[in-house]
Each structure stands twice: as structure tokens, then as C-alpha cells.
Amino acid sequence: MKVLTVDDDQTVRIRLRRYLQEWGHEAVEANSGEKAWELCKQGRYPMAIVDWMMPGVDGVELIKRIRAETGQGYVYLIMLTMRSEMKDLVEGMDAGADDFITKPFDKDELYARFRSGERILGLENRLEANINELRRSNEDLQQFAYAASHDLKEPLRSISGFAQILSDKFRQNLGKEAIECIDYINSGALRMGAVIDDLLKYSRVSAAKQKVAHVESQACLDNALKNLAAAIEENGATVTHPTLPSISIDETHLTQLFQNLIGNSIKYRNDEPPEIHISAELDSGERIRFNVRDNGIGIPEQFQKDVFQIFRRLHTQEEYEGTGIGLSICKKIVELYGGQIWVESLSGKGCNFLFTLPA
Ligand SMILES: Nc1ncnc2c1ncn2[C@@H]1O[C@H](COP(=O)(O)OP(=O)(O)OP(=O)(O)O)[C@@H](O)[C@H]1O
Ligand SMILES: [Mg+2]
């Protein structure tokens, strides 16, 4: 491993070089913070041993610069210092140092700290490899879902097309039973088409994340309500809300969230007309928590986690139509932005769907 050693004192650099060579590593030396920073910009050093007190760019400043540069992998930083007062240690740690050695340092102590750094770098490497692997397999899966659902549409089109021809052209030659069968084929194909469309929507969610911008969540809600206008009118639903804040998100995502949740609130209604209230408040940290509350049939406690799984429905097609993808899309969107979604509900007393997004 290449270890950057930074000290204006040549004797220290020589000692460090000797020890590192003895342990099978290579020291790349810099006699000032400026020189070290130049080297960092040119090459990659997984570990650096840095003197605190140097004229010009000192150890703390150098460490701050290295930490601010996030492009390359993790650099394990050990500080060499004469100081040992608590206040100084805190300042160095705060700047991003991983460990300290007080001068004059002892070879065995340096070795122990060096080894501990090596272990942490090993873990870091494994973590990075796992993340890359996960990212790759996620992309594969994404592509698979997209291609599969896309390719299913073609044969489905011919099934429903020919069923249509059968029922249009040859209806008079067919018996009652045959016509009934064709109707089943047609409604099956229609349903399958809806499932495929929803699956495509689901698999497209992360592909669209690039268009993140500052958007008025109010405008997204307005769009969702426009898309739901017919259902709102048909069910005599009332939707109330205060003015909603602006957040950073892809606006089609927030519109989709509102539309799926409010669409559900209307669909899973009680005998009374649906009353839906939307609100938003600042959550702890830099997050906004949205609430979509309704007065519908509610969700029994034991199913409140399940409903976010893909294809999970609590009712039959005859009771309520749907593919069971709406809430899983909501979950996927919210998690894409590092947020959470959950539901609070008392059976028969309506639902309160909550989700958090970056402010
Ligand atoms: N507001 C609600 N009130 C009561 N039950 C709900 C509500 N929202 C969702 N559910 C329950 O959660 C299940 C999953 O909802 P989801 O929106 O994922 O699917 P869906 O509405 O069945 O189909 P679609 O994919 O067309 O949205 C629903 O089948 C329903 O049982
Ligand atoms: Mg739904």
C-alpha cells in the first residue's frame, strides 16, 4: 500500500519510511501540507500519516481538504502531534482524523495503529464492493422487469386482437357458451394489460430520478386532483388541505404519490362521501412529513405493513378493482429519496398515510 507521510521534519519522514518498508509498504513523502495536497490530487493514497504542526497548510487544514474531496475512496488519516490536550484532539477528530499518535512516537504503538487502520480500510473496501454488487444486481433487475413487461405486451395485443375479431366477425356463428368464453378472454387480457402497465410504471420509478428540482408540492397535488377529477366528482369526495411547502423531488414522482394515495382514499370509501385531508409539516431533521388522511374503510393493524408489498391486496377484484401495485410504487418513490412511508389506521375509521421526503 502507498502511504502518504507528511512532516516538515526529515528525521520523522525517514523513520516512517523505514518502518513502512519493513512492514511491506511504500512511503510517499511530502515535506509540507502544500506538497502533500499536490500529491493527493495526482494519486490515490489509502492511508496518510500527517504532522499537525507545519508552516503554511498545517495538518488540520490538509485533513479538511482531503475529507472535502469525496471523489476517491476513503483515506485513513493518522495525525502525528506533540499536543495531547483534549481540546486539540477534539479539533483534529472534528476535522476528519481517524487516529492520533503523540510525538515522540514509539514504533510498536505506530504499528498497532497502522494495523487498525488497515483493518478499517479492509472493511471499507468490502463495503464498497458489496454496494457496487448490489447496485449492479438492482440495475439488472430493473432492466429485467422493464424488458419482461415490455415484451409481454406484444403477445397480449394479439390475444386481445384475435379475441376481438372472433367476437365481432364470427359472433353469429358461435354458441352462447363460446361467446361467454371470448368475453372472459377479453376481460382477462384487459386485466393483464393493466398489470403490465403498472409493472412498467413500477420499474420506471428509479429511471426517472434525474429530474430532481425544487418543486411546489401544491402544484403536484393540483395535478393529481386534476387527474382524479372524474372519480372525485362521481363519489362526491371533498379534498381539503392548507398551502403545501416546496420540496426537492422529481415532480412526476410527487404527483404519482398523491394520485395513488388519494385514489385509494376514494376507492376504499365507506358509505359516507369520502373526506380527504392532506397536510405537511417539518419533521425532525431536514424532512417534510406529508399526511393523507381519509374516512374510508381503514386497514386492520395486522395488514398495515403488507399493503406496501407489490401485488398485495386485501380485497377481491369483485369488491374493489385494482392490481395491487399503487402503494408499492409509492414506497419505491419515497425510498428513492431516502424517506419512509407508513399507515396508521383504525379498522372502519379511515386511514392516515404518512410519508417523509427531503425538504
Ligand atoms: N385508503 C385506503 N383505505 C383502505 N384500504 C386501503 C387504502 N389504500 C390501500 N388500501 C388497501 O391496500 C391494498 C393495496 O393498495 P394498492 O394501492 O397498492 O393496490 P390497489 O389499490 O389494490 O391497486 P392499484 O395498483 O390499482 O392501486 C388495497 O388493495 C387495499 O386493500
Ligand atoms: Mg391503489
Side-chain angles (χ1 to χ4, degrees), residues 31 96 290:
N31 58 6
F290 288 90

Side-chain angles (χ1 to χ4, degrees), residues 5 43 46 49 62 64 81 84-85 87 92 115 124 127 151 176 178 194 201-202 211 234 256 261 318 338 352 355:
T5 56
I49 302 174
L62 177 64
K64 278 185 188 160
T81 172
S84 58
E85 283 175 29
K87 186 174 137 289
R115 291 281 300 143
E124 168 74 18
L127 196 67
D151 291 353
K176 190 169 157 267
K201 265 189 225 154
Y202 182 84
K211 289 178 259 156
E234 210 171 285
Q256 223 171 344
L261 294 176
E318 287 68 40
N352 185 20
F355 58 96

Side-chain angles (χ1 to χ4, degrees), residues 187-350:
S187 66
L190 222 62
R191 239 192 88 55
M192 190 165 165
V195 173
I196 292 174
D197 283 341
D198 280 353
L199 262 179
L200 274 169
K201 265 189 225 154
Y202 182 84
S203 72
R204 277 187 191 132
V205 166
S206 64
K209 206 200 161 176
Q210 289 91 313
K211 289 178 259 156
V212 175
H214 238 59
V215 299
E216 294 301 327
S217 48
Q218 183 66 54
C220 298
L221 175 63
D222 291 343
N223 273 337
L225 294 178
K226 221 180 287 166
N227 298 339
L228 291 166
I232 291 175
E233 161 120 37
E234 210 171 285
N235 288 277
T238 46
V239 181
T240 52
H241 56 86
T243 308
L244 299 178
S246 71
I247 64 165
S248 310
I249 195 171
D250 179 331
E251 63 177 309
T252 56
H253 282 160
L254 188 57
T255 305
Q256 223 171 344
L257 270 167
F258 283 136
Q259 196 168 322
N260 288 351
L261 294 176
I262 298 169
N264 279 346
S265 291
I266 298 172
K267 179 160 53 163
Y268 302 105
R269 58 171 284 185
N270 255 330
D271 295 337
E272 313 96 69
E275 282 172 19
I276 302 151
H277 184 70
I278 295 120
S279 60
E281 56 191 281
L282 200 61
D283 202 20
S284 59
E286 287 160 352
R287 304 206 146 253
I288 301 276
R289 196 182 63 214
F290 288 90
N291 280 30
V292 177
R293 186 192 299 272
D294 65 43
N295 61 341
I297 60 173
I299 299 176
E301 199 181 339
Q302 68 267 35
F303 300 123
Q304 286 172 5
K305 282 209 172 74
D306 301 357
V307 290
F308 296 98
Q309 287 169 19
I310 194 162
F311 298 135
R312 185 73 169 107
R313 308 198 66 230
L314 306 180
H315 304 94
T316 62
Q317 269 328 300
E318 287 68 40
E319 291 171 300
Y320 299 93
E321 276 190 0
T323 48
I325 290 185
L327 287 180
S328 61
I329 290 180
C330 292
K331 184 169 192 281
K332 202 173 170 197
I333 292 176
V334 169
E335 288 179 353
L336 198 61
Y337 296 91
Q340 283 178 307
I341 183 166
W342 69 102
V343 60
E344 292 166 356
S345 169
L346 286 174
S347 204
K349 293 230 167 89

Side-chain angles (χ1 to χ4, degrees), residues 62-70 74-77 95-96 98:
L62 177 64
I63 283 180
K64 278 185 188 160
R65 288 190 190 180
I66 292 176
R67 284 291 177 249
E69 186 74 48
T70 49
Y74 195 74
V75 185
Y76 190 84
L77 295 167
D98 294 296

